[in-house]
Amino acid sequence: MPNPNTRPADLPREFAEEAMQLVSSMIPTTALSFYFLDPHMHLKGFVGINVDDTINSEYGAEYWKLDPLHPRNFADSEELLVCSNTTMPYKQWRQTIFYQDFMEPRGFSHSADIFFRNDESIIAALLTTRSKELGEYQPEELRLMRGAQRFIQFSLNRIYLPPRIAERQYVEERYGLTQRELDVLESAMAGHSNKIMCEDLKMRLPTLRTHLHHIFEKVGVSGTNELISRIFRELSDRDHRMEVE
């Protein structure tokens, strides 16, 4: 969950933007996207550079499952970096539905995805794409990306995840929320609209409303604004008590 001392939209956006800026400073790219994954391999929102929200939304809703570099294809491996021009021959890559229906119409030709793991599970990914003019990823560039992967994964696991996990556990224990309800709460606290929450959490609006209703009952509030205010205040008080102790 977002740190109560930070604006809701800043996390995980702030972390994602810094990670993408690091990679883009090391290798030439056309566009980059960063997303988090839940334990069920559902996307939890995109942050992009040189790519608009429409493209990210279309990718997450329609094309992600067709992507040969989809994280689920590497969940049982130890891969940390997968690349279109090393995973398969370029001719085969160009023949995939994903390339023909998603990549090519948007001016993308090559893709390399960096995976970030906690223990053995993929928890986030950074996608880089290139136009045909930029050419394939070269061995030295892939080496640089692997170096960035180690630093970003270390930061993710040491800086971002621990407070988020602790905050989820605190709210779970205090109010008896399920993991899915915690996902909904986290998305609401990030300032997302119901439409974005449904897209991020891959659920229908009636299901989302049911989860919110259950959360309201458990927390003892009447609406989303009151819910967010209550949880932020409690997390802030919790942090203050921990500092005093």
Side-chain angles (χ1 to χ4, degrees), residues 27-218:
I27 64 167
T29 61
T30 300
L32 303 94
S33 295
F34 192 107
Y35 61 80
F36 287 84
L37 290 160
D38 70 14
H40 308 289
M41 300 294 281
H42 295 143
L43 298 183
K44 297 187 66 176
F46 279 94
V47 181
I49 294 180
N50 295 332
V51 56
D52 61 36
D53 290 340
T54 300
I55 292 178
N56 278 336
S57 178
E58 291 174 349
Y59 176 79
E62 302 178 41
Y63 297 104
W64 190 52
K65 58 183 178 294
L66 301 175
D67 188 349
L69 306 186
H70 191 300
R72 69 164 176 250
N73 297 330
F74 305 93
D76 295 328
S77 73
E78 297 181 355
E79 293 287 353
L80 299 174
L81 173 64
V82 293
C83 180
S84 58
N85 57 271
T86 59
T87 301
M88 63 181 68
Y90 185 55
K91 182 178 180 180
Q92 182 181 348
W93 167 252
R94 287 176 56 86
Q95 291 174 343
T96 63
I97 296 175
F98 175 73
Y99 180 89
Q100 294 177 2
D101 289 1
F102 180 78
M103 295 282 289
E104 190 172 35
R106 293 163 179 80
F108 303 143
S109 289
H110 310 284
S111 180
D113 297 1
I114 306 173
F115 299 145
F116 308 104
R117 297 177 183 264
N118 179 260
D119 292 328
E120 298 180 356
S121 300
I122 299 175
I123 57 173
L126 193 161
L127 287 63
T128 72
T129 56
R130 280 181 164 177
S131 64
K132 188 175 182 180
E133 290 71 25
L134 287 179
E136 296 182 344
Y137 296 85
Q138 300 302 307
E140 175 62 16
E141 293 173 326
L142 296 177
R143 186 189 68 80
L144 290 172
M145 293 173 74
R146 289 189 178 92
Q149 189 279 337
R150 288 193 293 270
F151 177 76
I152 296 170
Q153 180 170 281
F154 175 84
S155 301
L156 181 63
N157 282 292
R158 291 296 185 91
I159 298 172
Y160 173 69
L161 282 183
R164 175 175 176 262
I165 292 172
E167 289 170 355
R168 281 178 68 103
Q169 184 177 0
Y170 172 81
V171 176
E172 177 188 11
E173 293 175 352
R174 179 166 176 77
Y175 294 110
L177 301 188
T178 67
Q179 290 301 309
R180 201 59 172 150
E181 289 168 350
L182 287 168
D183 291 339
V184 170
L185 173 60
E186 192 170 52
S187 186
M189 293 180 68
H192 296 158
S193 66
N194 283 358
K195 179 180 178 181
I196 297 300
M197 290 169 68
C198 287
E199 292 176 358
D200 286 351
L201 299 171
K202 297 295 181 292
M203 64 174 59
R204 298 172 63 85
L205 182 58
T207 303
L208 174 67
R209 287 174 173 164
T210 298
H211 282 305
L212 285 170
H213 177 70
H214 291 162
I215 295 170
F216 296 160
E217 285 188 333
K218 291 180 179 180

